[in-house]
Amino acid sequence: MRRRPRLPARLPLDPYVLALLATVGLAALLPARGPAATVADGASTAAVALLFFLYGARLSTREALDGLRHWRLHVTVLACTFVLFPLLGLAARGLAPTLLTPPLYSGLLFLCLVPSTVQSSIAFTSIARGNVPAAICAGSFSSLAGIVLTPLLAAGLLGADAGGFSPDSLVKIVVQLLLPFLLGQALRRRVGGLLVRHKKALGYVDRGSILLVVYAAFSAGMAAGVWHRVSLPHLGALLAVEAVLLAVMLLVTWYGAGHLGFGREDRIAIQFAGSKKSLAAGLPMASVLFGAQAGLAVLPLMLFHQMQLMVCAVLARRRARDPEAAGGELPPGRVAEVSSPAQHPAPQGR
């Protein structure tokens, strides 16, 4: 008799999300105003540039080229991330302004435009005994494509809410996102070793920079009075809509990949890489694209991030107990052991 899979003893409440919520609370109680707001905005701009410089310096061009042999898988993940997700976001337009306020809907649509995660896609694919190298490449390709596609899609689909195609907004995108990323790629050979040696410390720099971006964005929102437009019923409706969005993407990525002829390990990589969104990439992009409205724009992404961690943690451990996973042999280069929750702590921040 087949044993019924049990839920994990502890669902992964991401400590980084708690830090983000604490930062939002600080911005609500002590928002930066006047000269302090100018300093916070300048520091936030520098933090965004630093983040994208580090993204560029860390991305291995060789790993990306090695992963091209799985091009069908990567195209599938990119289609889920930058085609299917945006289409679902556009389909939800009818929910505004009845269930969702226009700013919350703009945030929901922006959530559908950001790239996929890297760390959490890899960790969950590993736990579920999927194709880990493919998950690494798929997450990297999505992050790289998102640097260009997310601002363009946001400008085209969100219009004036995301700055449109004005010269000022395009300059911000180039100066704060593209140029630092390209500089990081150009200097990768010189600074790559340093980044590897200080990986842990740079992780704190990453997360601290994003916390600074969140504080500046939410402080600007408090100063502009945008939070007076949010009510608890609207937040509840947002959570319900996001739960449906995640469920649809998890089902489509799993069964759609099966219909396309992918094997079990590849389907797992597609499901976890194609159904999630990157908090680390989305937050700094929102600060550039939305300005004072960035606080509300990133709220749907923050909620979706925690939801995807909790749901995918349960799903990954259930996939690891599938008879097909327990009885079959895994190809070389793929994870062959079922990891425990202690071996794979909850992915954070991306």
Side-chain angles (χ1 to χ4, degrees):
M1 182 176 178
R2 184 179 177 182
R3 294 178 60 186
R4 185 177 181 181
R6 294 180 300 173
L7 293 178
R10 179 179 64 86
L11 290 175
L13 183 60
D14 189 350
Y16 191 59
V17 171
L18 295 180
L20 287 169
L21 294 177
T23 303
V24 171
L26 178 63
L29 295 174
L30 297 171
R33 299 181 185 275
T38 303
V39 172
D41 185 60
S44 173
T45 300
V48 170
L50 175 61
L51 282 171
F52 278 84
F53 171 80
L54 292 175
Y55 292 162
R58 288 169 181 161
L59 180 63
S60 171
T61 306
R62 181 177 179 181
E63 288 180 2
L65 292 176
D66 288 343
L68 287 177
R69 64 180 182 274
H70 300 298
W71 66 270
R72 287 184 64 247
L73 185 148
H74 303 318
V75 169
T76 301
V77 171
L78 289 174
C80 291
T81 303
F82 296 113
V83 178
L84 183 55
F85 252 117
L87 288 176
L88 291 175
L90 290 174
R93 189 182 296 275
L95 301 177
T98 52
L99 288 179
L100 301 176
T101 63
L104 285 181
Y105 171 71
S106 294
L108 178 69
L109 183 54
F110 174 72
L111 148 71
C112 294
L113 307 181
V114 302
S116 178
T117 61
V118 180
Q119 286 97 325
S120 58
S121 296
I122 297 168
F124 289 136
T125 300
S126 175
I127 293 171
R129 302 180 68 179
N131 188 339
V132 176
I136 294 172
C137 292
S140 299
F141 289 159
S142 180
S143 297
L144 179 60
I147 293 174
V148 176
L149 291 180
T150 297
L152 293 179
L153 287 171
L157 298 180
L158 288 166
D161 292 337
F165 278 104
S166 68
D168 183 60
S169 65
L170 290 178
V171 168
K172 285 183 177 181
I173 291 170
V174 171
V175 172
Q176 294 187 48
L177 304 182
L178 290 179
L179 285 183
F181 177 84
L182 294 175
L183 181 62
Q185 277 281 285
L187 297 178
R188 187 179 182 278
R189 290 187 177 182
R190 295 186 179 184
V191 302
L194 179 66
L195 296 181
V196 171
R197 289 194 299 271
H198 299 281
K199 182 178 180 180
K200 184 175 181 180
L202 288 173
Y204 291 115
V205 173
D206 272 1
R207 296 173 186 177
S209 298
I210 292 174
L211 291 177
L212 178 58
V213 170
V214 169
Y215 176 76
F218 277 80
S219 291
M222 290 295 297
V226 297
W227 294 104
H228 296 297
R229 290 177 264 167
V230 182
S231 65
L232 287 179
H234 283 131
L235 286 178
L238 175 63
L239 284 171
V241 171
E242 291 191 338
V244 172
L245 176 65
L246 179 59
V248 169
M249 288 306 303
L250 287 171
L251 290 172
V252 169
T253 51
W254 179 253
Y255 292 106
H259 284 298
L260 291 174
F262 289 100
R264 178 186 177 277
E265 292 81 15
D266 288 344
R267 291 173 71 188
I268 288 173
I270 291 170
Q271 184 176 53
F272 289 124
S275 64
K276 292 200 296 303
K277 292 295 183 175
S278 173
L279 187 69
L283 288 177
M285 285 183 180
S287 71
V288 175
L289 295 170
F290 289 93
Q293 301 293 324
L296 279 181
V298 300
L299 181 61
L301 179 59
M302 291 171 62
L303 296 176
F304 189 83
H305 172 82
Q306 183 58 44
M307 186 182 297
Q308 72 186 11
L309 286 183
M310 297 176 70
V311 172
C312 289
V314 176
L315 182 60
R317 289 158 190 159
R318 181 169 183 173
R319 292 256 181 265
R321 299 187 184 101
D322 287 345
E324 188 178 352
E329 294 183 1
L330 295 178
R334 301 185 184 178
V335 176
E337 70 277 355
V338 178
S339 305
S340 67
Q343 290 173 303
H344 284 277
Q348 300 182 22
R350 298 199 182 178

